[in-house]
Amino acid sequence: MEKATSVQHVYDLLIKMNHQLEQHQQRESMTILEEIHEHFDGIASLNLTDVHVIDCIGRHEPINVTTLADRIELSKGTVSKVSTKLLKEGWIRRTQLNDNKKEIYFRLTPLGKRLFLVHERLHVKVQQQLFEFLNRYSSEELNVLKRLLSDGVDLLEAMEWQDKSLD
């Protein structure tokens, strides 16, 4: 009976942590957007999806719609809609590669690069906080945590595939 109690306790903690993580992500999203709006003097009418598209372009430029959609797990239609907005507002620009004049790729404009760097700085700060937290644990404890999280990701992916097959 002790294992069943432990399993229930771990489940309860995961649910609580998930709820707290959702709340934290909402607060963090608002903080990121507020900081971006401060840095860009009110010219930024961006939402978090826009910022993540800019971030992905900044990390992988030049990048086309298909690759961008795959990397940030959005539909090509959504990426096309967001990229049209970002093009009009001057955050990104279209380019073509010398060996492929047919395909359109995206790059950041100087304004987009500034936003990319602001966003990157905010992510580095969050990453440092998480690393400080994780450094409290031994290598053995981190290995157990890696296994738990990896298995959890696999479970969620399997559940997603199962849900898609029901559609």
Side-chain angles (χ1 to χ4, degrees):
M1 192 64 172
E2 181 180 309
K3 183 172 181 179
T5 302
S6 292
V7 167
Q8 181 65 49
H9 185 72
V10 168
Y11 173 81
D12 292 342
L13 287 171
L14 283 171
I15 296 297
K16 182 177 181 178
M17 185 174 149
N18 184 50
H19 179 69
Q20 289 176 333
L21 183 59
E22 286 174 355
Q23 290 178 330
H24 173 76
Q25 285 174 328
Q26 286 178 338
R27 286 189 308 271
E28 191 70 25
S29 296
M30 293 304 296
T31 301
I32 288 171
L33 290 174
E34 286 170 6
E35 184 147 344
I36 287 169
H37 289 271
E38 285 176 23
H39 274 79
F40 294 92
D41 299 325
I43 64 167
S45 64
L46 301 171
N47 61 42
L48 218 49
T49 300
D50 301 335
V51 173
H52 286 139
V53 168
I54 289 169
D55 181 69
C56 188
I57 293 170
R59 290 180 191 286
H60 306 287
E61 65 183 345
I63 188 169
N64 64 21
V65 169
T66 302
T67 306
L68 187 54
D70 288 345
R71 288 197 181 264
I72 56 179
E73 299 180 359
L74 292 174
S75 70
K76 286 196 286 186
T78 299
V79 170
S80 292
K81 183 178 175 182
V82 170
S83 62
T84 298
K85 172 188 174 183
L86 297 174
L87 282 162
K88 285 179 186 174
E89 293 181 0
W91 300 103
I92 64 173
R93 62 183 173 91
R94 282 190 177 115
T95 62
Q96 294 175 313
L97 300 181
N98 290 334
D99 59 342
N100 184 353
K101 296 292 184 187
K102 186 176 167 185
E103 185 125 35
I104 300 297
Y105 290 83
F106 298 114
R107 289 186 178 274
L108 298 179
T109 63
L111 183 66
K113 287 179 183 179
R114 276 186 46 218
L115 176 60
F116 172 77
L117 292 173
V118 167
H119 182 250
E120 180 69 13
R121 185 175 44 81
L122 294 170
H123 270 281
V124 166
K125 179 181 166 189
V126 170
Q127 183 182 31
Q128 286 173 338
Q129 290 171 334
L130 189 55
F131 281 11
E132 285 175 21
F133 168 76
L134 291 172
N135 276 324
R136 302 184 311 179
Y137 298 95
S138 69
S139 294
E140 293 80 21
E141 290 169 319
L142 289 171
N143 285 332
V144 170
L145 186 56
K146 284 190 315 192
R147 180 175 166 220
L148 172 73
L149 292 174
S150 180
D151 290 351
V153 167
D154 291 345
L155 172 67
L156 292 172
E157 287 175 350
M159 291 167 65
E160 186 176 328
W161 278 106
Q162 185 179 27
D163 289 347
K164 285 181 181 179
S165 70
L166 297 174
D167 292 343

